[in-house]
Amino acid sequence: MDNVALVISLIAMVAFLVYLVRGIAGVAKKREGTKTLFKRSLIALAVSLVGFIVVGMTTEPTKETAKEPKQEQQKEKAKEQKSEKTPI
């Protein structure tokens, strides 16, 4: 599901940019129908944002490795053993 939503949102982002550029070019050349191009670009932008939100909601966070806590525990044990060996 993540990959499908990501691909759809990326395609929608490209469509947004294409419609936006065509709309701006149409306004510059004073063509008719530029309003529909801007409407299409807004629809494509909305689809891409929804797709990115879906990807963000369904992606699992990265799991921490089990090595890091063990290494910290070993360091603490080593410090405790050193403190026990040295007489005060």
Side-chain angles (χ1 to χ4, degrees):
M1 179 72 182
D2 291 343
N3 294 335
V4 173
L6 186 62
V7 169
I8 289 172
S9 61
L10 290 175
I11 290 171
M13 184 61 72
V14 170
F16 164 71
L17 293 174
V18 168
Y19 286 133
L20 187 66
V21 169
R22 287 181 63 195
I24 292 171
V27 168
K29 293 182 180 180
K30 297 182 181 178
R31 292 184 185 168
E32 292 183 16
T34 55
K35 197 175 218 181
T36 58
L37 289 173
F38 286 119
K39 286 180 183 178
R40 288 179 185 177
S41 70
L42 289 177
I43 292 170
L45 179 65
V47 169
S48 67
L49 290 177
V50 168
F52 286 132
I53 290 170
V54 167
V55 169
M57 288 174 51
T58 58
T59 305
E60 295 179 9
T62 57
K63 295 180 181 178
E64 293 182 17
T65 59
K67 293 180 182 178
E68 292 176 1
K70 288 182 181 178
Q71 289 176 351
E72 290 176 6
Q73 290 175 358
Q74 289 175 355
K75 288 179 184 178
E76 290 175 4
K77 286 181 183 178
K79 287 180 183 178
E80 289 176 4
Q81 289 176 356
K82 288 181 182 178
S83 64
E84 289 175 1
K85 289 181 181 178
T86 57
I88 297 177

